[in-house]
Amino acid sequence: MPDQGQVPEPGARNAAAFDEETPWCEKHQQIVRDEIEAINTRREPARRIDPDGIDACQMLDVIGLALSGGGIRSSAMCLGVLQALNHHDLIGRIDYLSTVSGGGYIGTSLSSTMTVTGRFVFGQRPAGATVTASEISDTPSVGHIRNYSNYLVPAGFRDLLTGIAIVARGLIANIGLTLPVVLLVAAVTIWSTPLRSCLTVANFFGVDLADGALPQCELHHFGWIADRYGFAAIGTIFSLVLLAGAGIAYLFARAERGMGPTIFLTYAAAIAFLLGIACDFARILQIKHFALTLATGIIGVALFFVWALKQSLASPEKRQEFRSHWPTAGATFLVLLAVIAFFEFQPFMLSQMFDVVDSNAIGGPVGGVAVTWIKALAAIAAPIGVFVTAFRQQFAEFLKGNSVSSQWGSLVLAIAAKVALWIAGLALPLIIWVAYLYLSYWGIANDPLEKCQAPLAAIGQRSCLAANKATVAASGNLAGKIAFDAGAGTFTAEITPQPAAPTATMEWLTPVSHVPAWLRFAASNVARQFHWVDAGSGYSHSLPLVILYFLVGAVLFAMSWSLTPNANSLHRLYRDRLSKAFLFDPGRSADGNIARAEASLDQGRDFKPLDRMKLSELYAAGDGAATDGQPAAPKLGAPYHLINTALNIQGSDFANRRGRNADFFVFSPLYVGSEATRYAKTPAVERLEQSLDLATAMAISGAAASSNMGSNSIKALTPTLALLNVRLGYWLNNPRYVEATARPQRRSTPLFLWSEISGRLYENSDGVYLTDGGHIENLGVYELLRRRCKVIIAVDAEADAPMNFASLMKLQRYARIDLGARIDLPWTPIRDRTRAIMAENADSKSAPAVAAPDEAARDHVHVAIGVIDYGGDDRGYLVYIKSSLSSDENDYIRDYARRNDSFPHETTGDQFFSEEQFEVYRALGFHMTHGFLAGDHSVAVGPGTAPRMGRFTEAGEKAVDEVRKALGLPALQRRTAGPATMTTDQA
């Protein structure tokens, strides 16, 4: 692989353990050196860093800018921050640009436009040496982005309709992936129980377990084997064969013996033997429903008791409970019991469906209630599922308890949210189950009606049907008289059953009357082909439908095999809309001519798109001529871009032991990958993954809505979101195997959907599933901490209405656990000031805002500077710009805040920004950053436990002086001796 590894130390347990314990900066030192070499191409010769002189885990004298997630809200605010940095001539000092989700929209636009034009296109710096302007005017590039602030439906109703059509196509594709499974399972059910009378006969995939069962219940001629030799003998034979296979696998195992195929085949042999005994036991029980379940359960009780005896008699050193074979075998048995019970529950439900259709009396009320309850639950769960899916982020906040201040209120809302989530999660599985029940119900012939055929009338046929059910009475009415003699104290009654009165809707029934006409027609055509028309209901109807279901399912499955993971997800729609809005060449019009410098009525719609720009093109040779016959050296036109995404590994046992469900996955001009998958060179990945480009990486980083969402995954909703095609994520060829020659790549299969549904996602699979970088860390700072940047400027524009700084808290935890770095940031003054202003805006009864007497004395603070302790003597600095208010914003910002009390933390679910929304967030970003850099606003410094106020233009604070020095700003002077004595503090 391209990244350098380390040789395991002597005495290490194994290479994997050593690899896990080695710091990232030590294992991947070559990656850092290559990135520094690229960064040097933007630096003046005097400021360049010698890549070969960089020691492992050395703090680098570089500046990183991190733009957080938050959708179009974050994009607008980060645009204002970038304009302010350019206003103070600081864009050229930024070495790394690390972006997540919405911050990646504008970050990718910055990288692409600076690469193709060589300049900052979103604003012009002041002509004079003094930076005094508090605002800047628009450029055509800013106008382009404004026009696409409503990027999902920029053309209104037309784009909405095309979007709906694309969503419908994805749903149909998912149906094509799931319907074959439903059809095949229904075919197996009909094969096992072709007739209604067979639903009460215990069977094992069509082989009857009851003595003297109806011969027509078996659509094959295999039952005599079990009748003659017994299921236990058959199970023993299968078990011996499997054990032989396990022995062969053990002898030829290349890995540690006793693992993998050996264990699997051994467990399969035990299951085969156990099922054989259970089937014979079920024959003895002679019950209508759940015979095999009961038999297996009784055997399980005996086995668990034997296990208890073994555990009691074993020596202490042999009583291991963790990851030993006995507990694993016990868990396997419980899963087997649950599967058997589920399969035997289906005939029970189908039997009740027939009884309920016959009449409310036949089958009793229990069956009617059960079937009706299933249908009602599916009907109720469906709209709840739609509601919860639409507001999944708010429900996630409720589950975290971040949206309410009352502890009891948080508990109640969390419980309510969990209940709603589980109901919503059941919606689609219930609907699929009901569809399976109906497909099976239509394929089973109602054979009791064969005894009640013509010349009986319709009413007589109903009575005949009831009479052929031994345990229930016929449907009808009761008639008679009741007499009570008060004098004699006697009570008499004469009650006689009467047949049901005829109704106009009662029809004469056949064994297939319950089947839709089109399905009866299809079954009859298949039966005629095999000459089964007169062979009884099982062969004339049920078996043809088994064949029909199987053929249709097989054809659909074969066709769906060609469906690729990303072609019909919502990723491409999302990617194309984002690309149109943020990736463009401001120097060229759509027809290839030089674009107008002035704004136009159609500005933003006539720029040449950069839709196919590759990641590797951000660091590529320019148009300069070659020297000495050598091609021009590659050069960065913008800060080295790190696009952060989340690698979903919910199924990983090794990499997911802490419950994060994800790893940090990055796209950059030189490397693509993660710690879990390893890293590969970007050009090599691009050659293998033809659809990977800058727009794709940007869209992956912002794929917030997905079935699997890293540490933010909602397990109850995972199957529903996957089946409903709420899948903005992207399946990428695993970088681990990009340059591998020992293991060839395999093309994608429909298994990708089942991997998403079940959450069985692994870091060592051929394809990996990537989603929004905010699904593991939403600030984009983590990768900069890995590279040990001396100064990190972080823009936090996430939705944080309670001002709990949740992403900052998560970052501090990850930094301490993973990197051994400690962040001490004085953020509380920003929280307190913004909370007070937002509370005032939320008070609808308050009078129009009037400045309080002490308003001028309050600190207007949006920025805090903290210390990053990398360990040893390495101290870095975090400049933290938080989306916040200080009441000194311009008029239209404060007016919008008064009308929208959640500003500046409106929900990320709103991606349809108006011109006003986009502008107030952009202006706020510029206001916060410019006010900090110009010294108009205070900045919080000092330790987090005792913050104090300072100014970025005033000397005296070491953190301020160090940040100014790193940014190349002039050193500040401060008074030391007296009013006439000045000294220069060289930090």
Side-chain angles (χ1 to χ4, degrees), residues 568-583:
N568 294 290
S569 71
L570 297 181
H571 162 80
R572 185 71 195 196
L573 171 65
Y574 184 53
R575 174 221 179 266
D576 290 348
R577 299 289 167 90
L578 282 175
S579 176
K580 180 64 177 176
F582 293 97
L583 292 181

Side-chain angles (χ1 to χ4, degrees), residues 500-688:
T503 61
T505 59
M506 187 170 293
E507 299 177 355
W508 188 73
L509 302 176
T510 68
V512 293
S513 295
H514 61 289
V515 184
W518 60 271
L519 200 56
R520 290 201 304 266
F521 176 77
S524 63
N525 284 334
V526 175
R528 279 194 292 270
Q529 297 299 321
F530 292 93
H531 307 289
W532 291 337
V533 176
D534 300 322
S537 299
Y539 286 94
S540 65
H541 175 72
S542 299
L543 187 55
L545 277 189
V546 170
I547 297 173
L548 186 64
Y549 284 178
F550 180 81
L551 289 177
V552 174
V555 170
L556 281 176
F557 185 78
M559 294 174 62
S560 63
W561 197 266
S562 61
L563 294 175
T564 55
N566 303 312
N568 294 290
S569 71
L570 297 181
H571 162 80
R572 185 71 195 196
L573 171 65
Y574 184 53
R575 174 221 179 266
D576 290 348
R577 299 289 167 90
L578 282 175
S579 176
K580 180 64 177 176
F582 293 97
L583 292 181
F584 56 91
D585 182 355
R588 294 285 177 181
S589 61
D591 56 10
N593 297 322
I594 297 177
R596 299 185 299 274
E598 72 278 2
S600 69
L601 295 177
D602 195 34
Q603 68 176 19
R605 296 180 185 273
D606 53 357
F607 285 139
K608 179 183 177 181
L610 298 176
D611 185 70
R612 299 303 301 170
M613 186 176 189
K614 295 291 186 180
L615 270 164
S616 55
E617 292 179 34
L618 297 179
Y619 180 55
D623 297 331
T627 58
D628 299 330
Q630 298 295 325
K635 182 179 180 180
L636 282 178
Y640 189 85
H641 199 166
L642 304 172
I643 302 177
N644 296 274
T645 67
L647 168 69
N648 285 264
I649 46 175
Q650 282 81 346
S652 172
D653 184 48
F654 172 76
N656 192 34
R657 289 172 296 180
R658 295 172 181 171
R660 292 183 184 177
N661 294 324
D663 191 23
F664 304 88
F665 194 100
V666 67
F667 291 94
S668 75
L670 288 174
Y671 291 97
V672 171
S674 70
E675 179 77 348
T677 62
R678 306 173 190 169
Y679 298 85
K681 292 183 178 180
T682 301
V685 178
E686 290 174 338
R687 286 193 296 270
L688 179 65

Side-chain angles (χ1 to χ4, degrees), residues 356-504:
V356 169
V357 170
D358 285 348
S359 72
N360 290 331
I362 298 180
V366 176
V369 170
V371 175
T372 305
W373 182 82
I374 294 296
K375 294 179 181 178
L377 184 58
I380 293 172
I384 294 179
V386 173
F387 178 80
V388 172
T389 300
F391 296 96
R392 60 192 174 279
Q393 292 178 334
Q394 288 78 2
F395 275 90
E397 288 297 320
F398 285 146
L399 291 173
K400 296 174 184 176
N402 291 337
S403 299
V404 290
S405 57
S406 166
Q407 185 175 0
W408 281 103
S410 176
L411 179 62
V412 171
L413 284 175
I415 293 175
K418 287 182 179 179
V419 171
L421 284 174
W422 280 105
I423 293 176
L426 287 173
L428 221 56
L430 277 174
I431 292 173
I432 293 174
W433 184 34
V434 170
Y436 151 76
L437 288 175
Y438 270 103
L439 285 172
S440 302
Y441 170 71
W442 292 334
I444 298 173
N446 194 1
D447 62 311
L449 288 175
E450 292 180 344
K451 303 177 183 178
C452 306
Q453 296 295 303
L456 292 175
I459 299 177
Q461 189 185 40
R462 293 275 182 172
S463 301
C464 176
L465 175 61
N468 276 279
K469 293 181 63 66
T471 59
V472 294
S475 175
N477 301 312
L478 299 177
K481 60 182 180 178
I482 297 175
F484 177 69
D485 189 340
T490 60
F491 176 84
T492 59
E494 295 180 5
I495 301 175
T496 57
Q498 297 292 332
T503 61

